[in-house]
Amino acid sequence: MTRPQPPDWTLPAWDALPDERAPAARPPVAPGTFGLRILNVSDVSRAIREAVRGDERLRDVWVEGEVSRVTISSAGHAYFALKDERSQLQCVWFRDERLRSAFEPQAGLRIVVHGRVDLFEPQGALQLYVESIQPAGFGDLALRFEALKARLATEGLFDAGRKRPLPSRPATIGVVTSPTGVVWRDISHVLARRWPLARVVLVACRVQGEGAPASIVTALRRLDRYIEECRAAGRPEDAPAVTILARGGGSLEDLWAFNDEAVVRAVVAHTVPLVCGVGHEVDVTLADFAADVRAPTPSAAAEIVVPDRLEFAASLRRANDRLRNAMGARLATAARDLAVERRALDRLSPVARLAAGREQVGLLFDRATRAIEARLAGDGMRLERAADTLSRQATGRVAAARAALSGAAAALAVLGPQATLDRGYAIVRRTADGAIVRDPADAPTGTALRLRVARGELPATVDPDGRG
Amino acid sequence: MVNMLDHVTPSADPAIEKLGFDEALAELQRTVAELEAGGQPLERALALHERGAALLEHCNRLLTDADLRVRQLVAVAGKGLQAVDVKPDEAQEVPESGAG
């Protein structure tokens, strides 16, 4: 907000008539003389404030003008100037009032402001304290609108505490509008795209002209009755859980049906939460104030009442993930349990025992093998050593034996018959039994004899002649 | 006996097929919560998982296959209010003169 110029109250007003009469008509006042009173700033401010506040016309004003220099303070108050060709008026719109309105001042917009004029003494600023703002073009209607709004507001019909929350996924949705316009088409398209699971109960009504308010009221009451019938018949899912009241954009007069008192009361009395989507963003009707939720447009109303199935599919995917994770965790636990059990089982099973036995046998076998091998290795060495000894002993013995043998052979040769035979003796044996014949009686006549001589044997027979 | 649904959804549980979206969703949420809480025997966990998956599939199919159903509420003389199935672009303007 810019600091306004100091009041130019010492100068003539822009429309003051120039005083063309002779200055002599005024009593001359010399500077510095008595009669002059020097005021301080606060005195002047108070004088202005009293003058402003005392003026009926400034206490409750409707001012039309063009918005410029809008700023919103960090506290949420809006400051702007309202101007026409000649003048500007500083306006202040406090946060609470501003947030209650669906309408925002924007530079260049022609609006009608309702409020009071007062002096902001710290800055000496004369300002319009705004209570409400409407788009320009109201004329008389604006006054009627405000008057009715004020009256219904005092009844509490617009209280925030009255607003009901919308159901999150209504199975059935009531729609009250004209079914032949683009509005109904938009609404049904949005519902079909976002949440085709919904069922729609359409109640046709006129939304402009003389009969429109009565038609809207009738439609809402029919819907009320239908909801009641469905519930009574035990088919609560057929009853709309939320209702859309909608109309497309139009002139102020076109939308006037939604400022009708009977319509407002029917909206307030409606059995289920009601979303009002009338006109465009800037259009605000009393039905909007009375509704549980105000949607900026009819399509927006349809979007507000149902979730988007694509977003919902994402939450289903999350549910799927959770399902899978939980099952995965459970299976992991089961696998761990199973592993524990299997180990326990493995220890107890006959195969395992056999294996264990086998293993033990194997170990023993190994030990035995190693022991035997070790022993064998030792034995082998001993054996080798023994063999060595043996062979050395054997060789010695053989040599000794040979020596003994050759000695014996020599002795034998000395003791044997050969030498005697060599000297011409013979050994006589009976051929029949080989017995050596030492007595002639042993060899009667005819006995076959063998005679061994030095170089061989001779056969002989005992001859009878020579005997005797 | 031939189940007419067999060729469409061979593994679908007929009891689940009959569930509305909200019922199926509510049961799905319960099922997920129970499975996440854990502590149940493995058979129970497997059964929960299977049912959860079937419920999920059912919800998904409902979301995908659904067609917006529109009925128009009309006042019929002597019969009171009637909700008549209409196609969205065939809804009728109010013919009456304010009788409600």
Side-chain angles (χ1 to χ4, degrees):
Chain A
M1 195 179 102
T2 57
R3 181 181 285 269
Q5 297 298 312
D8 50 0
W9 54 283
T10 55
L11 299 171
W14 65 273
D15 55 353
L17 291 171
D19 189 352
E20 290 179 352
R21 262 170 294 189
R26 287 182 181 175
V29 178
T33 59
F34 57 83
L36 177 74
R37 192 177 157 219
I38 298 179
L39 304 172
N40 59 29
V41 176
S42 299
D43 292 336
V44 178
S45 291
R46 196 179 313 122
I48 297 171
R49 194 186 67 199
E50 281 166 11
V52 169
R53 289 191 176 170
D55 191 331
E56 286 279 324
R57 291 169 302 172
L58 297 178
R59 224 180 272 162
D60 185 9
V61 291
W62 294 85
V63 189
E64 180 171 338
E66 186 186 322
V67 179
S68 72
R69 297 205 312 272
V70 182
T71 56
I72 311 274
S73 76
S74 56
H77 310 315
Y79 299 91
F80 58 95
L82 207 58
K83 64 177 185 182
D84 61 13
E85 294 76 18
R86 280 198 307 269
S87 310
Q88 289 199 4
L89 184 59
Q90 292 301 320
C91 300
V92 186
W93 199 11
F94 289 125
R95 180 176 176 276
D96 288 353
E97 278 88 5
R98 189 170 72 82
L99 293 186
R100 226 177 281 147
S101 168
F103 189 76
E104 282 280 353
Q106 288 171 349
L109 220 56
R110 283 199 75 75
I111 61 173
V112 175
V113 172
H114 179 220
R116 67 188 162 84
V117 177
D118 204 349
L119 182 75
F120 182 54
E121 287 185 66
Q123 293 185 351
L126 262 182
Q127 319 188 106
L128 178 60
Y129 289 84
V130 179
E131 279 165 23
S132 67
I133 293 180
Q134 304 294 339
F138 267 79
D140 232 18
L141 287 179
L143 295 172
R144 278 165 55 197
F145 177 92
E146 283 301 328
L148 180 58
K149 182 185 164 196
R151 184 155 60 81
L152 297 178
T154 56
E155 280 189 41
L157 298 190
F158 307 146
D159 285 359
R162 270 201 60 260
K163 311 288 184 194
R164 295 165 289 189
L166 302 183
S168 58
R169 290 186 312 278
T172 306
I173 298 160
V175 178
V176 177
T177 192
S178 163
T180 52
V182 68
V183 169
W184 161 241
R185 205 186 63 204
D186 286 352
I187 289 175
S188 61
H189 281 185
V190 169
L191 293 179
R193 168 169 55 80
R194 282 174 67 92
W195 199 250
L197 290 168
R199 283 171 292 182
V200 176
V201 176
L202 171 70
V203 193
C205 68
R206 299 182 206 286
V207 291
Q208 77 185 73
E210 278 295 304
S215 179
I216 295 168
V217 169
T218 301
L220 284 172
R221 289 203 182 132
R222 279 186 182 166
L223 204 48
D224 284 332
R225 219 168 73 212
Y226 179 69
I227 290 168
E228 211 171 285
E229 284 173 12
C230 288
R231 287 176 179 169
R235 295 179 286 112
E237 70 280 0
D238 283 352
V242 61
T243 294
I244 297 171
L245 174 61
R247 191 211 187 281
S251 70
L252 189 69
E253 289 78 10
D254 285 342
L255 303 183
W256 198 250
F258 293 86
N259 292 321
D260 187 277
E261 182 174 349
V263 169
V264 171
R265 291 189 185 282
V267 166
V268 169
H270 193 52
T271 318
V272 294
L274 186 142
V275 178
C276 194
V278 172
H280 300 301
E281 176 87 48
V282 295
D283 301 322
V284 183
T285 65
L286 293 184
D288 285 320
F289 285 114
D292 295 285
V293 173
R294 173 189 183 257
T297 63
S299 305
E303 294 193 4
I304 286 169
V305 298
V306 290
D308 183 352
R309 62 170 151 172
L310 294 182
E311 287 165 23
F312 209 82
S315 77
L316 283 181
R317 275 196 296 281
R318 280 193 294 281
N320 191 23
D321 290 346
R322 287 173 61 193
L323 207 58
R324 256 213 309 254
N325 290 342
M327 194 62 222
R330 183 66 188 82
L331 280 178
T333 309
R336 274 198 303 278
D337 291 350
L338 196 62
V340 169
E341 295 301 325
R342 181 186 292 148
R343 279 197 293 278
L345 203 60
D346 282 352
R347 282 196 295 275
L348 296 175
S349 86
V351 174
R353 280 203 233 171
L354 210 58
R358 220 176 258 157
E359 196 179 327
Q360 218 157 7
V361 168
L363 283 174
L364 286 174
F365 186 75
D366 283 352
R367 274 172 61 194
T369 306
R370 276 195 301 277
I372 288 169
E373 275 174 353
R375 189 173 295 174
L376 279 180
D379 284 358
M381 278 168 65
R382 269 201 299 277
L383 211 55
E384 271 175 35
R385 279 199 303 274
D388 281 355
T389 313
L390 200 62
S391 79
R392 275 198 303 278
Q393 284 174 353
T395 314
R397 263 186 221 171
V398 168
R402 279 204 189 118
L405 207 58
S406 59
L412 216 58
V414 173
L415 295 174
Q418 194 60 44
T420 309
L421 293 177
D422 285 344
R423 288 197 308 265
Y425 294 90
I427 298 168
V428 180
R429 295 170 195 271
R430 284 195 296 249
T431 302
D433 56 2
I436 291 174
V437 178
R438 288 186 179 87
D439 189 342
D442 294 339
T445 304
T447 302
L449 299 171
R450 295 200 69 88
L451 309 181
R452 172 84 189 267
V453 294
R455 305 231 160 76
E457 282 185 343
L458 289 170
T461 305
V462 180
D463 193 3
D465 312 334
R467 287 203 161 214
Chain B
M1 197 182 101
V2 179
N3 187 338
M4 296 299 283
L5 286 174
D6 272 354
H7 66 287
V8 184
T9 51
S11 64
D13 181 341
I16 286 177
E17 287 297 298
K18 285 194 191 110
L19 289 180
F21 185 84
D22 283 321
E23 295 166 303
L25 186 69
E27 199 188 327
L28 173 62
Q29 283 161 345
R30 281 198 304 274
T31 306
V32 170
E34 188 180 342
L35 194 60
E36 278 182 337
Q40 58 279 105
L42 189 59
E43 285 93 5
R44 173 76 182 144
L46 282 169
L48 283 172
H49 179 257
E50 192 182 339
R51 184 148 183 93
L55 287 164
L56 198 71
E57 169 63 24
H58 182 57
C59 286
N60 261 325
R61 201 166 43 241
L62 286 179
L63 267 189
T64 314
D65 297 350
D67 280 321
L68 191 71
R69 268 179 54 199
V70 177
R71 291 197 282 180
Q72 185 169 5
L73 202 59
V74 290
V76 179
K79 288 183 175 175
L81 288 176
Q82 293 210 321
V84 184
D85 286 326
V86 292
K87 291 199 171 121
D89 50 357
E90 289 172 0
Q92 295 299 302
E93 187 63 272
V94 259
E96 100 289 346
S97 53

